[in-house]
Amino acid sequence: MAISSAICSSFKQELLQGKHSFESSGGHTFKIALFTSSASLGAATTDYSTSNEISNTSGSAYSAGGATLTSVTPTLDSSTAVCDFSDVSFTSASFTANGALIYNDTQSDKAVAVIAFGADKTVTSGTFTIQFPTADASNAIIRIA
């Protein structure tokens, strides 16, 4: 099993079908779920699933389905459309995650993007933060050139 960073292929098609709205006001609800190294996620991922999702071993910092993302209205950086989300933190957390899936909770849990962490990341009774990159043409988590 492996997690590979990718914009999901099904998401690309669904964009042209008008199934995703990233507007910060009135747009869809997007979530981020965390997964173990046993997960198989990448460009072919089409939907969120609980299979190999992490479990929180201490307290209630992580629940199945992950955290709701705060969307920042898409903009243009030169000729590249970019989308950004506010950083997400899980406090008082104890778990190990190897990657994450961004998905559209409003649209039947349709997959958007997979993020591979490159290795297991462990937190023990602490804060686990996912920091999104700068929303520009070279770095944004979602960008269309």
Side-chain angles (χ1 to χ4, degrees), residues 8 19-21 41 57 59 61 64 67 84 95 102-103 120 127 129 137 142 144:
C8 298
K19 293 187 178 181
H20 300 276
S21 174
L41 301 169
T57 57
D84 191 20
F95 56 71
I102 297 172
Y103 67 97
D120 282 347
T127 300
T129 300
I142 299 173
I144 301 171

Side-chain angles (χ1 to χ4, degrees), residues 62-116:
Y62 187 86
S63 299
T68 300
L69 294 170
T70 301
S71 183
V72 177
T73 297
T75 61
L76 284 175
D77 182 18
S78 188
S79 62
T80 301
V82 298
C83 180
D84 191 20
F85 298 102
S86 297
D87 297 346
V88 174
S89 292
F90 300 92
T91 57
S92 301
S94 294
F95 56 71
T96 299
N98 191 272
L101 174 68
I102 297 172
Y103 67 97
N104 188 335
D105 192 46
T106 304
Q107 290 294 322
S108 304
D109 298 339
K110 298 290 185 194
V112 173
V114 176
I115 304 165

